[in-house]
PDB file of all heavy atoms in Angstrom:
ATOM      1  N   ASP A   1      43.663 -11.438  84.659  1.00  0.00           N
ATOM      2  CA  ASP A   1      43.359 -11.268  83.133  1.00  0.00           C
ATOM      3  C   ASP A   1      44.312 -12.199  82.398  1.00  0.00           C
ATOM      4  O   ASP A   1      43.807 -12.744  81.327  1.00  0.00           O
ATOM      5  CB  ASP A   1      43.658  -9.876  82.690  1.00  0.00           C
ATOM      6  CG  ASP A   1      42.626  -8.838  83.157  1.00  0.00           C
ATOM      7  OD1 ASP A   1      41.483  -9.283  83.295  1.00  0.00           O
ATOM      8  OD2 ASP A   1      42.924  -7.612  83.348  1.00  0.00           O
ATOM      9  N   MET A   2      45.467 -12.553  82.815  1.00  0.00           N
ATOM     10  CA  MET A   2      46.310 -13.551  82.211  1.00  0.00           C
ATOM     11  C   MET A   2      45.623 -14.947  82.202  1.00  0.00           C
ATOM     12  O   MET A   2      45.542 -15.624  81.184  1.00  0.00           O
ATOM     13  CB  MET A   2      47.622 -13.590  82.957  1.00  0.00           C
ATOM     14  CG  MET A   2      48.488 -12.417  82.828  1.00  0.00           C
ATOM     15  SD  MET A   2      49.638 -12.378  81.438  1.00  0.00           S
ATOM     16  CE  MET A   2      50.871 -13.609  81.946  1.00  0.00           C
ATOM     17  N   ASP A   3      45.108 -15.229  83.387  1.00  0.00           N
ATOM     18  CA  ASP A   3      44.437 -16.586  83.466  1.00  0.00           C
ATOM     19  C   ASP A   3      43.203 -16.633  82.626  1.00  0.00           C
ATOM     20  O   ASP A   3      42.939 -17.625  81.937  1.00  0.00           O
ATOM     21  CB  ASP A   3      44.050 -16.801  84.931  1.00  0.00           C
ATOM     22  CG  ASP A   3      45.246 -17.055  85.804  1.00  0.00           C
ATOM     23  OD1 ASP A   3      46.374 -17.331  85.329  1.00  0.00           O
ATOM     24  OD2 ASP A   3      45.059 -16.948  87.101  1.00  0.00           O
ATOM     25  N   ALA A   4      42.409 -15.581  82.653  1.00  0.00           N
ATOM     26  CA  ALA A   4      41.144 -15.479  81.809  1.00  0.00           C
ATOM     27  C   ALA A   4      41.443 -15.553  80.379  1.00  0.00           C
ATOM     28  O   ALA A   4      40.675 -16.180  79.602  1.00  0.00           O
ATOM     29  CB  ALA A   4      40.349 -14.304  82.190  1.00  0.00           C
ATOM     30  N   SER A   5      42.621 -15.071  79.930  1.00  0.00           N
ATOM     31  CA  SER A   5      42.968 -15.035  78.522  1.00  0.00           C
ATOM     32  C   SER A   5      43.697 -16.248  78.141  1.00  0.00           C
ATOM     33  O   SER A   5      43.964 -16.453  76.932  1.00  0.00           O
ATOM     34  CB  SER A   5      43.795 -13.776  78.214  1.00  0.00           C
ATOM     35  OG  SER A   5      43.103 -12.588  78.486  1.00  0.00           O
ATOM     36  N   GLY A   6      44.124 -17.082  79.165  1.00  0.00           N
ATOM     37  CA  GLY A   6      44.871 -18.267  78.799  1.00  0.00           C
ATOM     38  C   GLY A   6      46.324 -18.016  78.519  1.00  0.00           C
ATOM     39  O   GLY A   6      47.015 -18.874  77.859  1.00  0.00           O
ATOM     40  N   PHE A   7      46.857 -16.922  79.025  1.00  0.00           N
ATOM     41  CA  PHE A   7      48.260 -16.544  78.642  1.00  0.00           C
ATOM     42  C   PHE A   7      49.153 -17.044  79.806  1.00  0.00           C
ATOM     43  O   PHE A   7      48.802 -17.094  81.030  1.00  0.00           O
ATOM     44  CB  PHE A   7      48.479 -15.047  78.568  1.00  0.00           C
ATOM     45  CG  PHE A   7      47.598 -14.406  77.417  1.00  0.00           C
ATOM     46  CD1 PHE A   7      47.202 -13.102  77.613  1.00  0.00           C
ATOM     47  CD2 PHE A   7      47.354 -15.123  76.302  1.00  0.00           C
ATOM     48  CE1 PHE A   7      46.458 -12.467  76.567  1.00  0.00           C
ATOM     49  CE2 PHE A   7      46.624 -14.467  75.276  1.00  0.00           C
ATOM     50  CZ  PHE A   7      46.273 -13.213  75.404  1.00  0.00           C
ATOM     51  N   SER A   8      50.393 -17.341  79.456  1.00  0.00           N
ATOM     52  CA  SER A   8      51.461 -17.726  80.350  1.00  0.00           C
ATOM     53  C   SER A   8      52.522 -16.577  80.390  1.00  0.00           C
ATOM     54  O   SER A   8      52.614 -15.799  79.390  1.00  0.00           O
ATOM     55  CB  SER A   8      52.113 -19.047  80.015  1.00  0.00           C
ATOM     56  OG  SER A   8      52.714 -18.955  78.714  1.00  0.00           O
ATOM     57  N   ASP A   9      53.157 -16.478  81.519  1.00  0.00           N
ATOM     58  CA  ASP A   9      54.188 -15.427  81.612  1.00  0.00           C
ATOM     59  C   ASP A   9      55.220 -15.476  80.681  1.00  0.00           C
ATOM     60  O   ASP A   9      55.836 -16.552  80.406  1.00  0.00           O
ATOM     61  CB  ASP A   9      54.782 -15.503  83.099  1.00  0.00           C
ATOM     62  CG  ASP A   9      55.235 -14.074  83.578  1.00  0.00           C
ATOM     63  OD1 ASP A   9      54.540 -13.132  83.309  1.00  0.00           O
ATOM     64  OD2 ASP A   9      56.278 -14.026  84.286  1.00  0.00           O
ATOM     65  N   GLY A  10      55.483 -14.423  79.917  1.00  0.00           N
ATOM     66  CA  GLY A  10      56.483 -14.463  78.824  1.00  0.00           C
ATOM     67  C   GLY A  10      55.916 -14.789  77.428  1.00  0.00           C
ATOM     68  O   GLY A  10      56.776 -14.823  76.512  1.00  0.00           O
ATOM     69  N   GLN A  11      54.694 -15.181  77.338  1.00  0.00           N
ATOM     70  CA  GLN A  11      54.163 -15.536  76.119  1.00  0.00           C
ATOM     71  C   GLN A  11      54.078 -14.370  75.052  1.00  0.00           C
ATOM     72  O   GLN A  11      53.839 -13.245  75.395  1.00  0.00           O
ATOM     73  CB  GLN A  11      52.666 -16.085  76.268  1.00  0.00           C
ATOM     74  CG  GLN A  11      52.029 -16.617  75.016  1.00  0.00           C
ATOM     75  CD  GLN A  11      50.625 -17.246  75.347  1.00  0.00           C
ATOM     76  OE1 GLN A  11      50.368 -17.639  76.518  1.00  0.00           O
ATOM     77  NE2 GLN A  11      49.853 -17.411  74.291  1.00  0.00           N
ATOM     78  N   LYS A  12      54.250 -14.751  73.824  1.00  0.00           N
ATOM     79  CA  LYS A  12      54.106 -13.765  72.734  1.00  0.00           C
ATOM     80  C   LYS A  12      52.690 -13.557  72.467  1.00  0.00           C
ATOM     81  O   LYS A  12      51.969 -14.499  72.244  1.00  0.00           O
ATOM     82  CB  LYS A  12      54.910 -14.180  71.504  1.00  0.00           C
ATOM     83  CG  LYS A  12      55.049 -13.205  70.451  1.00  0.00           C
ATOM     84  CD  LYS A  12      55.583 -13.757  69.154  1.00  0.00           C
ATOM     85  CE  LYS A  12      56.946 -14.331  69.395  1.00  0.00           C
ATOM     86  NZ  LYS A  12      57.509 -14.861  68.089  1.00  0.00           N
ATOM     87  N   VAL A  13      52.211 -12.240  72.349  1.00  0.00           N
ATOM     88  CA  VAL A  13      50.822 -11.995  72.078  1.00  0.00           C
ATOM     89  C   VAL A  13      50.737 -10.922  70.980  1.00  0.00           C
ATOM     90  O   VAL A  13      51.733 -10.191  70.722  1.00  0.00           O
ATOM     91  CB  VAL A  13      50.096 -11.504  73.370  1.00  0.00           C
ATOM     92  CG1 VAL A  13      50.040 -12.573  74.406  1.00  0.00           C
ATOM     93  CG2 VAL A  13      50.673 -10.204  73.870  1.00  0.00           C
ATOM     94  N   LYS A  14      49.524 -10.845  70.381  1.00  0.00           N
ATOM     95  CA  LYS A  14      49.257  -9.765  69.517  1.00  0.00           C
ATOM     96  C   LYS A  14      48.236  -8.826  70.205  1.00  0.00           C
ATOM     97  O   LYS A  14      47.355  -9.255  70.982  1.00  0.00           O
ATOM     98  CB  LYS A  14      48.479 -10.269  68.258  1.00  0.00           C
ATOM     99  CG  LYS A  14      49.314 -11.007  67.343  1.00  0.00           C
ATOM    100  CD  LYS A  14      48.510 -11.456  66.080  1.00  0.00           C
ATOM    101  CE  LYS A  14      49.370 -12.184  65.063  1.00  0.00           C
ATOM    102  NZ  LYS A  14      48.507 -12.621  63.867  1.00  0.00           N
ATOM    103  N   ILE A  15      48.495  -7.455  70.131  1.00  0.00           N
ATOM    104  CA  ILE A  15      47.629  -6.513  70.696  1.00  0.00           C
ATOM    105  C   ILE A  15      47.245  -5.464  69.592  1.00  0.00           C
ATOM    106  O   ILE A  15      48.067  -5.101  68.823  1.00  0.00           O
ATOM    107  CB  ILE A  15      48.351  -5.798  71.875  1.00  0.00           C
ATOM    108  CG1 ILE A  15      47.518  -4.678  72.433  1.00  0.00           C
ATOM    109  CG2 ILE A  15      49.734  -5.267  71.546  1.00  0.00           C
ATOM    110  CD1 ILE A  15      47.998  -4.083  73.729  1.00  0.00           C
ATOM    111  N   GLY A  16      45.892  -5.234  69.454  1.00  0.00           N
ATOM    112  CA  GLY A  16      45.506  -4.451  68.354  1.00  0.00           C
ATOM    113  C   GLY A  16      44.218  -3.591  68.617  1.00  0.00           C
ATOM    114  O   GLY A  16      43.567  -3.798  69.602  1.00  0.00           O
ATOM    115  N   ASN A  17      43.988  -2.714  67.624  1.00  0.00           N
ATOM    116  CA  ASN A  17      42.787  -1.943  67.613  1.00  0.00           C
ATOM    117  C   ASN A  17      42.535  -1.515  66.157  1.00  0.00           C
ATOM    118  O   ASN A  17      43.092  -2.162  65.229  1.00  0.00           O
ATOM    119  CB  ASN A  17      42.794  -0.725  68.563  1.00  0.00           C
ATOM    120  CG  ASN A  17      43.865   0.124  68.345  1.00  0.00           C
ATOM    121  OD1 ASN A  17      44.459   0.284  67.293  1.00  0.00           O
ATOM    122  ND2 ASN A  17      44.194   0.957  69.398  1.00  0.00           N
ATOM    123  N   GLU A  18      41.742  -0.428  65.998  1.00  0.00           N
ATOM    124  CA  GLU A  18      41.384  -0.048  64.621  1.00  0.00           C
ATOM    125  C   GLU A  18      42.592   0.442  63.850  1.00  0.00           C
ATOM    126  O   GLU A  18      42.519   0.515  62.582  1.00  0.00           O
ATOM    127  CB  GLU A  18      40.360   1.113  64.690  1.00  0.00           C
ATOM    128  CG  GLU A  18      39.156   0.776  65.445  1.00  0.00           C
ATOM    129  CD  GLU A  18      39.163   1.203  66.923  1.00  0.00           C
ATOM    130  OE1 GLU A  18      40.303   1.170  67.474  1.00  0.00           O
ATOM    131  OE2 GLU A  18      38.082   1.500  67.494  1.00  0.00           O
ATOM    132  N   LEU A  19      43.694   0.792  64.615  1.00  0.00           N
ATOM    133  CA  LEU A  19      44.767   1.453  63.861  1.00  0.00           C
ATOM    134  C   LEU A  19      45.933   0.448  63.438  1.00  0.00           C
ATOM    135  O   LEU A  19      46.729   0.856  62.602  1.00  0.00           O
ATOM    136  CB  LEU A  19      45.417   2.451  64.773  1.00  0.00           C
ATOM    137  CG  LEU A  19      44.471   3.608  65.219  1.00  0.00           C
ATOM    138  CD1 LEU A  19      45.101   4.467  66.225  1.00  0.00           C
ATOM    139  CD2 LEU A  19      44.104   4.468  63.972  1.00  0.00           C
ATOM    140  N   GLY A  20      45.927  -0.736  64.063  1.00  0.00           N
ATOM    141  CA  GLY A  20      46.949  -1.670  63.684  1.00  0.00           C
ATOM    142  C   GLY A  20      47.174  -2.766  64.719  1.00  0.00           C
ATOM    143  O   GLY A  20      46.387  -2.920  65.650  1.00  0.00           O
ATOM    144  N   VAL A  21      48.211  -3.510  64.536  1.00  0.00           N
ATOM    145  CA  VAL A  21      48.489  -4.650  65.432  1.00  0.00           C
ATOM    146  C   VAL A  21      49.978  -4.606  65.808  1.00  0.00           C
ATOM    147  O   VAL A  21      50.845  -4.371  64.969  1.00  0.00           O
ATOM    148  CB  VAL A  21      48.207  -6.022  64.695  1.00  0.00           C
ATOM    149  CG1 VAL A  21      48.626  -7.199  65.561  1.00  0.00           C
ATOM    150  CG2 VAL A  21      46.707  -6.086  64.296  1.00  0.00           C
ATOM    151  N   VAL A  22      50.247  -5.001  67.074  1.00  0.00           N
ATOM    152  CA  VAL A  22      51.640  -4.952  67.583  1.00  0.00           C
ATOM    153  C   VAL A  22      51.867  -6.398  68.206  1.00  0.00           C
ATOM    154  O   VAL A  22      50.995  -6.884  68.947  1.00  0.00           O
ATOM    155  CB  VAL A  22      51.846  -3.829  68.683  1.00  0.00           C
ATOM    156  CG1 VAL A  22      53.241  -3.962  69.379  1.00  0.00           C
ATOM    157  CG2 VAL A  22      51.606  -2.546  67.982  1.00  0.00           C
ATOM    158  N   ILE A  23      53.040  -6.897  68.049  1.00  0.00           N
ATOM    159  CA  ILE A  23      53.438  -8.183  68.632  1.00  0.00           C
ATOM    160  C   ILE A  23      54.553  -7.919  69.772  1.00  0.00           C
ATOM    161  O   ILE A  23      55.574  -7.321  69.478  1.00  0.00           O
ATOM    162  CB  ILE A  23      53.923  -9.166  67.661  1.00  0.00           C
ATOM    163  CG1 ILE A  23      52.865  -9.339  66.510  1.00  0.00           C
ATOM    164  CG2 ILE A  23      54.361 -10.486  68.220  1.00  0.00           C
ATOM    165  CD1 ILE A  23      53.279 -10.206  65.341  1.00  0.00           C
ATOM    166  N   LEU A  24      54.241  -8.465  70.922  1.00  0.00           N
ATOM    167  CA  LEU A  24      55.222  -8.340  72.004  1.00  0.00           C
ATOM    168  C   LEU A  24      55.001  -9.395  73.002  1.00  0.00           C
ATOM    169  O   LEU A  24      54.060 -10.299  72.832  1.00  0.00           O
ATOM    170  CB  LEU A  24      55.233  -6.959  72.624  1.00  0.00           C
ATOM    171  CG  LEU A  24      54.062  -6.519  73.487  1.00  0.00           C
ATOM    172  CD1 LEU A  24      54.372  -5.246  74.062  1.00  0.00           C
ATOM    173  CD2 LEU A  24      52.722  -6.520  72.742  1.00  0.00           C
ATOM    174  N   HIS A  25      55.667  -9.541  74.118  1.00  0.00           N
ATOM    175  CA  HIS A  25      55.519 -10.551  75.145  1.00  0.00           C
ATOM    176  C   HIS A  25      54.754 -10.009  76.302  1.00  0.00           C
ATOM    177  O   HIS A  25      54.960  -8.829  76.722  1.00  0.00           O
ATOM    178  CB  HIS A  25      56.906 -11.035  75.575  1.00  0.00           C
ATOM    179  CG  HIS A  25      57.718 -11.772  74.471  1.00  0.00           C
ATOM    180  ND1 HIS A  25      58.392 -11.063  73.599  1.00  0.00           N
ATOM    181  CD2 HIS A  25      57.779 -13.039  74.272  1.00  0.00           C
ATOM    182  CE1 HIS A  25      58.935 -11.914  72.778  1.00  0.00           C
ATOM    183  NE2 HIS A  25      58.650 -13.131  73.089  1.00  0.00           N
ATOM    184  N   VAL A  26      53.909 -10.833  76.924  1.00  0.00           N
ATOM    185  CA  VAL A  26      53.101 -10.466  78.042  1.00  0.00           C
ATOM    186  C   VAL A  26      53.781 -10.839  79.348  1.00  0.00           C
ATOM    187  O   VAL A  26      54.353 -12.010  79.381  1.00  0.00           O
ATOM    188  CB  VAL A  26      51.681 -10.975  77.892  1.00  0.00           C
ATOM    189  CG1 VAL A  26      51.626 -12.497  78.065  1.00  0.00           C
ATOM    190  CG2 VAL A  26      50.727 -10.321  78.898  1.00  0.00           C
ATOM    191  N   ARG A  27      53.643 -10.024  80.366  1.00  0.00           N
ATOM    192  CA  ARG A  27      54.260 -10.398  81.741  1.00  0.00           C
ATOM    193  C   ARG A  27      53.259 -10.048  82.745  1.00  0.00           C
ATOM    194  O   ARG A  27      52.580  -8.933  82.801  1.00  0.00           O
ATOM    195  CB  ARG A  27      55.593  -9.568  81.851  1.00  0.00           C
ATOM    196  CG  ARG A  27      56.219  -9.754  83.186  1.00  0.00           C
ATOM    197  CD  ARG A  27      57.680  -9.351  83.215  1.00  0.00           C
ATOM    198  NE  ARG A  27      57.902  -7.993  82.910  1.00  0.00           N
ATOM    199  CZ  ARG A  27      57.939  -6.965  83.807  1.00  0.00           C
ATOM    200  NH1 ARG A  27      57.765  -7.370  85.164  1.00  0.00           N
ATOM    201  NH2 ARG A  27      58.199  -5.730  83.501  1.00  0.00           N
ATOM    202  N   THR A  28      53.259 -10.848  83.767  1.00  0.00           N
ATOM    203  CA  THR A  28      52.332 -10.741  84.903  1.00  0.00           C
ATOM    204  C   THR A  28      52.770  -9.414  85.715  1.00  0.00           C
ATOM    205  O   THR A  28      53.997  -9.312  86.085  1.00  0.00           O
ATOM    206  CB  THR A  28      52.348 -11.979  85.853  1.00  0.00           C
ATOM    207  OG1 THR A  28      51.941 -13.040  85.093  1.00  0.00           O
ATOM    208  CG2 THR A  28      51.461 -11.701  87.018  1.00  0.00           C
ATOM    209  N   HIS A  29      51.724  -8.684  86.124  1.00  0.00           N
ATOM    210  CA  HIS A  29      52.019  -7.505  86.978  1.00  0.00           C
ATOM    211  C   HIS A  29      50.764  -7.327  87.849  1.00  0.00           C
ATOM    212  O   HIS A  29      49.680  -7.002  87.326  1.00  0.00           O
ATOM    213  CB  HIS A  29      52.199  -6.280  86.152  1.00  0.00           C
ATOM    214  CG  HIS A  29      52.692  -5.058  87.029  1.00  0.00           C
ATOM    215  ND1 HIS A  29      53.986  -4.783  87.295  1.00  0.00           N
ATOM    216  CD2 HIS A  29      51.952  -4.040  87.530  1.00  0.00           C
ATOM    217  CE1 HIS A  29      54.136  -3.687  87.988  1.00  0.00           C
ATOM    218  NE2 HIS A  29      52.852  -3.234  88.113  1.00  0.00           N
ATOM    219  N   ASP A  30      50.935  -7.711  89.114  1.00  0.00           N
ATOM    220  CA  ASP A  30      49.715  -7.731  89.981  1.00  0.00           C
ATOM    221  C   ASP A  30      49.182  -6.468  90.523  1.00  0.00           C
ATOM    222  O   ASP A  30      48.214  -6.369  91.129  1.00  0.00           O
ATOM    223  CB  ASP A  30      49.860  -8.789  91.088  1.00  0.00           C
ATOM    224  CG  ASP A  30      51.007  -8.394  92.108  1.00  0.00           C
ATOM    225  OD1 ASP A  30      51.677  -7.397  91.867  1.00  0.00           O
ATOM    226  OD2 ASP A  30      51.262  -9.088  92.974  1.00  0.00           O
ATOM    227  N   LYS A  31      49.941  -5.315  90.265  1.00  0.00           N
ATOM    228  CA  LYS A  31      49.513  -4.004  90.705  1.00  0.00           C
ATOM    229  C   LYS A  31      49.026  -3.144  89.541  1.00  0.00           C
ATOM    230  O   LYS A  31      49.604  -2.014  89.368  1.00  0.00           O
ATOM    231  CB  LYS A  31      50.670  -3.390  91.544  1.00  0.00           C
ATOM    232  CG  LYS A  31      51.016  -4.116  92.799  1.00  0.00           C
ATOM    233  CD  LYS A  31      49.913  -4.240  93.800  1.00  0.00           C
ATOM    234  CE  LYS A  31      50.238  -5.061  95.003  1.00  0.00           C
ATOM    235  NZ  LYS A  31      51.418  -4.616  95.743  1.00  0.00           N
TER     236      LYS A  31
END
């Protein structure tokens, strides 16, 4: 999913839905 989204390990991302948006860093987890 990281590769498909074009993210690199430790990259800052936005995650959101109908309720709001949160900003944090993404990390690879293969399990």
Side-chain angles (χ1 to χ4, degrees):
D1 285 333
M2 294 272 284
D3 291 342
S5 301
F7 298 150
S8 58
D9 209 38
Q11 181 176 342
K12 189 188 299 181
V13 298
K14 290 182 178 179
I15 175 172
N17 59 20
E18 304 92 333
L19 299 173
V21 177
V22 175
I23 301 174
L24 72 177
H25 295 81
V26 68
R27 177 161 62 89
T28 300
H29 188 85
D30 60 0
K31 297 296 175 62

